[in-house]
Amino acid sequence: MENTRNSQAPDGSWGVHAENSTVAERPDPLAYQCRLPLSSTTLDMVANLVRSHLKKIGSRWRKLSPGRIALIVLAVLRHDQRLADMADAYQVSASTVRRWLLEVIHLLATRAERLDRALNKLARRGGAVVLIDGMLIPTRRRTGADNRPNYSGKRKMHGLHVLALTDEKGNLIWVSAARRGRTHDVTAARHDHITAHLRAAGLGAIADLGFLGLDDDPDNPVIITGYRAARGRRLSAAQKEANKLVARERAANEHAFGDLKNWRVLTKLRLGARHATALLRALLVLTRTEVSR
């Protein structure tokens, strides 16, 4: 029989502990432990979402309380824990843990702001520019017709392409839908009408050289990129200095991607591609709750 308990460490992180005392089946007692470096604010937010959802659908009984469900889901998202391990620790089935995971992911995803609302909110706070960049989320290699579209020739791996916008301090404000890994940054930005939304909100954007050619209005540019050297045409001293300034401002964007990748479920995505967009938006909500610069 297993005993499980939750504990909070002095640093504010939460732990999930499960100890198996059945010595007859296994020669040595096994202990499963994981430490969650998350605030109680995040845990309470997810637990309240689960509690409200159960009340809304009229569910009278669950195997575990909303707080335990929230703790299990956060452990899976933060540390990419195997569903079977979490199920064994709490004496439920792996399919139940998976159902809880997808349920919480979609509940969190509904709290993510749309692009136009996120930009207008930033403009009302006095923001002037946003930082934009793309990233590739590694996935398992697929066979058959689904193999080639998810392969990124730039990064030499299979994955899903995502765009992200941050403010000048590196706080995430929006993530795009997950697309095929071969998708180019400019193609994804045009599909989401990034430049039109920026002009409507009165904001500009700083981007890397991968977004050259995105802004096709030279009279009213909103996308700031560096300069690219060409064969037989070197960059001038002023252009090199401009590239350094752009790179310096874009450093905050890399910090935001680091915050997002701290959720180790993105190390290699194992969920179905149709759940990837909801997962990214759920992680956006969790990251904004945890990190504020």
Side-chain angles (χ1 to χ4, degrees), residues 30-255:
L30 299 179
Y32 174 79
Q33 297 182 356
C34 70
R35 179 73 63 184
L36 285 179
L38 301 175
S39 64
S40 57
T41 302
T42 301
L43 180 64
D44 292 340
M45 179 194 68
V46 178
N48 289 334
L49 278 178
V50 175
R51 192 174 293 110
S52 300
H53 176 67
L54 296 180
K55 184 178 180 180
K56 180 179 179 180
I57 64 177
S59 178
R60 298 183 179 181
W61 180 85
R62 286 288 172 99
K63 178 71 174 180
L64 298 177
S65 65
R68 292 289 182 90
I69 295 175
L71 198 63
I72 292 173
V73 171
L74 290 175
V76 173
L77 296 178
R78 191 67 172 187
H79 293 305
D80 197 19
Q81 298 288 348
R82 294 176 64 248
L83 302 185
D85 291 338
M86 302 305 299
D88 183 64
Y90 281 90
Q91 299 181 354
V92 294
S93 66
S95 60
T96 298
V97 176
R98 178 179 176 82
R99 185 175 68 251
W100 290 343
L101 176 64
L102 295 178
E103 189 176 58
V104 173
I105 284 175
H106 287 280
L107 288 175
L108 288 169
T110 58
R111 297 172 62 91
E113 292 180 326
R114 297 188 319 187
L115 176 58
D116 53 347
R117 294 179 180 176
L119 292 177
N120 290 332
K121 185 176 180 179
L122 179 63
R124 288 195 298 269
R125 294 203 307 261
V129 297
V130 297
L131 309 177
I132 180 173
D133 202 357
M135 64 178 283
L136 187 74
I137 301 173
T139 60
R140 292 177 296 179
R141 179 174 179 175
R142 299 182 179 183
T143 58
D146 291 334
N147 182 24
R148 293 186 62 84
N150 283 344
Y151 183 77
S152 172
K154 177 181 178 181
R155 296 176 177 86
K156 309 299 181 184
M157 60 188 303
H158 292 77
L160 296 175
H161 179 272
V162 180
L163 287 179
L165 295 182
T166 68
D167 61 13
E168 299 176 71
K169 297 181 180 179
N171 296 308
L172 280 168
I173 60 176
W174 177 80
V175 293
S176 71
R179 298 185 174 91
R180 299 288 195 178
R182 67 181 182 184
T183 306
H184 194 275
D185 291 338
V186 173
T187 303
R190 286 174 176 168
H191 186 274
D192 291 324
H193 307 287
I194 297 292
T195 55
H197 286 295
L198 288 173
R199 288 190 176 93
L203 298 173
I206 299 177
D208 60 11
L209 296 178
F211 291 87
L212 279 174
L214 173 60
D215 196 347
D216 55 359
D217 188 357
D219 296 331
N220 183 26
V222 294
I223 306 294
I224 301 173
T225 61
Y227 296 91
R228 176 177 292 168
R231 180 178 298 180
R233 181 173 59 85
R234 297 183 178 180
L235 296 180
S236 64
Q239 289 174 335
K240 291 181 179 179
E241 188 63 27
N243 283 352
K244 291 181 180 179
L245 293 176
V246 171
R248 186 182 308 165
E249 294 296 327
R250 288 189 60 255
N253 188 276
E254 300 300 328
H255 297 322

